[in-house]
């Protein structure tokens, strides 16, 4: 049976009808029902061929997640992995990732595989370094096309620029305000389907994008259901998702698993942009020791335990962690759950053994492992050319020096207070402190808005220690507008408590704070009690619950993002310049070649463990 050609975009792009519509609500309303969307079957890339007609067929599933437009090799801590040695010690693997190397590793992995599928679990774009972000992630979509990506779910960052821009990523066309970035070339969009089963029109309940996709080759059929985390609306700008609802992950996956079963598709993989937190940060940690799934926590555990046994594997993301676990399904049977960290540093290779007689996956034969994207392989030539093309276009902006640093200023994922977080909070305070610009007394920065470290080693010809605009952009790619707002001392303390309670209790989101603001975090306690209220001080003075303070923060935070609902209660908001402008201005004002900026001490939050 021949595979359906994948290049026929019109066969499955349900967003095309909405390209000229004004509102997201109208966009979704114009789309066909989920049933209509689901009737479209896609073929695979056809890596290899079927040489025999045996009952059992091994299908290779290559997967990754949270690429975030990292086309060039990530630097500093973003380009490292931790390896767990057999004796229990760990070592750091330097210099991993980069789409040129990811392409080579994936192509080598596919060699000899009769059936190979490449899938992703969201956040392919958004929060991207300048070489992609400057061009609204068109370069990343082009790279993913060349990677032969078959299918991906959406992640929260696919909505960074709103649903209409996501439609353009899928369907193609030049940017509505900036036009075409290359003379004579029109952006063609993704060759692969974006899946968003749980993103629906609030009024009609219809899905924004295809809810599922069926890969088929020589009679082997595997269905993919794609969802993003239910909490997406809390971590993206509200303006771009008006009229959309983000549904429960488990309910949605189970719903479409039944739809696929009715269509005769019994082999099912869920692509889920939500994840877990393994007990070790090492990419090769065995999270099934001492028992299945015992070494992992976080939202994915409850989700996996409740997703229908009809689903044979879960490819996950969002937490930027690495794991390949087996978590029991509702029937108590083991099921593989994987995540490949972030930024293209890893890919997961999963073997799905397909039974031609039952048309289902033999679950006991499923095996998964994460593999490092090393840079000791030959970079893919087509990817190198792609990167160089876009890098040349970005160079006049990207290469401009904006500051100097004395050493690496890190953004470690496992640290509550980050040196780079201190630097950014200080920059925001300085930018919003003048009376005419907000009169801020302190600044708060969300940790998820800091996307990369500042590396001392030169990324190009600028010289070691020089920070370029492109590097600063990679650190803060959202270009959020800064605000100064009134908060009471009581509200400020509540915000600190919301870091470690409610939706943030399982995975704390510790706000980065400006100089002069100090407190103690007691992680031996639980929930809001982790914040030692009596320790919260501004410039050495205890915070007065009844007093009003002027606080600088970006618009994402002042809108209650990341679960900080109390911050929405602010008063007297004044909007300033962008966070990136304040960051680069601070670097320019406080550093020079002869007096580079030192590494912040990260001593504002005292942590008791």
């Amino acid at each position: 049976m021949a595979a359906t050609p994948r290049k026929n975009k019109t066969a499955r792009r349900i967003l095309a009808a909405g390209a000229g519509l004004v509102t997201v609500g109208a966009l979704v309303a114009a789309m066909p029902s989920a049933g209509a969307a689901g009737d479209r079957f896609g073929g695979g890339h056809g890596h290899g061929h079927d040489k025999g007609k045996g009952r059992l067929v091994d299908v290779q599933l290559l997967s990754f997640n949270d690429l975030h437009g990292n086309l060039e090799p990530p630097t500093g801590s973003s380009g490292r992995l931790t390896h767990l040695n057999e004796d229990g010690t760990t070592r750091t693997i330097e210099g991993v990732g980069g789409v040129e190397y990811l392409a080579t590793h994936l192509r080598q992995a596919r060699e000899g595989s009769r059936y190979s599928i490449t899938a992703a679990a969201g956040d392919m774009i958004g929060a991207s370094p300048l070489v992609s972000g400057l061009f609204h992630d068109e370069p990343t979509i082009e790279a993913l096309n060349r990677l032969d990506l078959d299918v991906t779910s959406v992640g929260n960052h696919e909505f960074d620029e709103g649903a209409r821009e996501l439609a353009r990523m899928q369907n193609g066309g030049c940017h509505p305000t900036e036009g075409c970035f290359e003379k004579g070339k029109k952006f063609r969009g993704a060759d692969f389907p974006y899946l968003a089963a749980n993103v629906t029109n609030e009024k009609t309940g219809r899905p924004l994008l295809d809810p599922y996709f069926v890969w088929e080759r020589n009679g082997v059929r595997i269905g993919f259901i794609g969802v993003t985390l239910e909490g997406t609306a809390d971590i993206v700008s509200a303006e771009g998702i008006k009229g959309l609802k983000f549904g429960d992950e488990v309910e949605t996956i189970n719903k479409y698993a039944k739809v696929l079963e009715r269509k005769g598709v019994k082999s099912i993989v869920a692509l889920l942009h939500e994840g877990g937190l393994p007990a070790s940060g090492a990419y090769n940690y065995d999270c099934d020791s001492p028992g299945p799934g015992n070494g992992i926590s976080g939202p994915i555990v409850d989700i996996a335990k409740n997703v229908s046994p009809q689903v044979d594997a879960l490819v996950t993301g969002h937490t930027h962690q690495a794991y390949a676990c087996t978590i029991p399904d509702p029937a108590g049977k083991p099921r593989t759950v994987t995540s490949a960290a972030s930024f293209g540093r890893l890919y997961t290779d999963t073997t799905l053994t397909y039974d031609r007689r039952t048309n289902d996956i033999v679950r006991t034969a499923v095996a998964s492992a994460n593999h490092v994207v090393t840079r000791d392989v030959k970079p893919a030539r087509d990817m190198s050319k792609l990167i160089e093309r876009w890098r040349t276009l970005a160079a006049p902006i990207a290469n401009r020096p904006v500051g100097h640093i004395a050493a690496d200023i890190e953004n470690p994922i496992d640290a509550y207070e980050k040196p780079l977080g201190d630097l950014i909070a200080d920059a925001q305070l300085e930018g919003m402190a003048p009376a005419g610009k907000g009169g801020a007394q302190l600044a708060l920065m969300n940790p998820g808005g800091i996307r990369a470290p500042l590396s001392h080693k030169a990324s190009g010809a600028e010289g070691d220690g020089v920070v370029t605009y492109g590097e600063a952009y990679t650190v803060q790619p959202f270009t959020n507008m800064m605000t100064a707002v009134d908060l009471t001392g009581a509200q400020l303390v509540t915000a600190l408590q919301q870091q470690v309670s409610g939706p943030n209790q399982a995975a704390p989101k510790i706000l980065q704070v400006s100089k002069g603001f100090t407190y103690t975090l007691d992680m031996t306690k639980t929930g809001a009690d982790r914040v030692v209220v009596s320790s919260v001080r501004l410039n050495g003075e205890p915070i007065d619950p009844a007093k009003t303070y002027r606080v600088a923060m970006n618009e994402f935070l002042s809108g209650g993002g990341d679960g900080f609902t109390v911050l929405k209660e602010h008063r007297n908001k004044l909007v300033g310049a962008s966070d990136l402008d304040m960051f680069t201005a601070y670097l320019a004002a406080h550093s020079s070649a002869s007096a580079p900026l030192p590494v912040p001490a990260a001593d504002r939050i005292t942590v008791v463990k």
Side-chain angles (χ1 to χ4, degrees), residues 478-536:
F478 298 108
T479 317
N480 278 314
M481 302 309 292
M482 287 300 301
T483 66
V485 302
D486 284 352
L487 291 174
T488 66
Q491 289 171 325
L492 197 52
V493 169
T494 298
L496 298 181
Q497 293 172 328
Q498 288 180 342
Q499 299 176 116
V500 289
S501 62
N504 294 331
Q505 179 159 335
K509 289 185 173 69
I510 306 302
L511 295 166
Q512 305 301 287
V513 298
S514 56
K515 59 186 176 183
F517 189 74
T518 57
Y519 70 98
T520 296
L521 199 59
D522 187 348
M523 298 306 291
T524 66
K525 298 181 179 179
T526 59
D529 290 339
R530 289 171 167 173
V531 175
V532 181
V533 175
S534 61
S535 71
V536 184

Side-chain angles (χ1 to χ4, degrees), residues 136-219:
H136 299 275
D137 277 316
E138 289 183 18
T140 296
I141 297 297
E142 182 182 346
L144 292 171
N145 288 342
R146 292 175 182 268
L147 274 180
D148 284 345
L149 182 63
D150 285 294
V151 60
T152 184
S153 67
V154 296
N156 54 288
H157 282 282
E158 263 77 23
F159 293 94
D160 280 351
E161 295 190 51
R164 290 188 67 187
E165 180 64 1
L166 176 56
R168 193 177 73 88
M169 292 294 99
Q170 180 73 92
N171 298 309
C174 296
H175 193 270
T177 58
E178 297 184 36
C180 298
F181 296 113
E182 295 181 286
K183 187 176 180 180
K185 290 186 179 181
K186 182 179 179 181
F187 176 56
R188 72 178 191 178
D191 288 343
F192 51 89
Y194 262 114
L195 304 182
N198 66 331
V199 186
T200 58
N201 183 304
E202 285 182 330
K203 295 180 179 178
T204 68
R206 293 177 179 176
L208 177 70
L209 291 159
D210 285 347
Y212 61 84
F213 166 80
V214 177
W215 182 94
E216 181 174 0
R217 180 161 175 80
N218 296 331

Side-chain angles (χ1 to χ4, degrees), residues 14 32 46 95 116 139 181 217 281 283 363 384 454 495 534 582:
I14 64 173
S116 185
F181 296 113
R217 180 161 175 80
Y283 78 91
R363 190 89 72 76
S384 299
L454 282 178
S534 61
M582 288 189 182

Side-chain angles (χ1 to χ4, degrees), residues 73-81 92-96 345 375 408 410 452-456:
T75 63
S77 55
S78 294
R80 297 178 189 138
L81 288 169
T92 299
I93 302 177
E94 298 280 358
V96 297
R345 294 175 293 165
R375 299 177 195 166
D408 289 349
E410 294 286 6
L454 282 178
S455 298
H456 185 265

Side-chain angles (χ1 to χ4, degrees), residues 428 476 478-482 554 577-583:
Q428 294 178 351
Q476 291 201 280
F478 298 108
T479 317
N480 278 314
M481 302 309 292
M482 287 300 301
N554 59 43
S578 75
D579 53 6
L580 179 59
D581 285 346
M582 288 189 182
F583 185 43

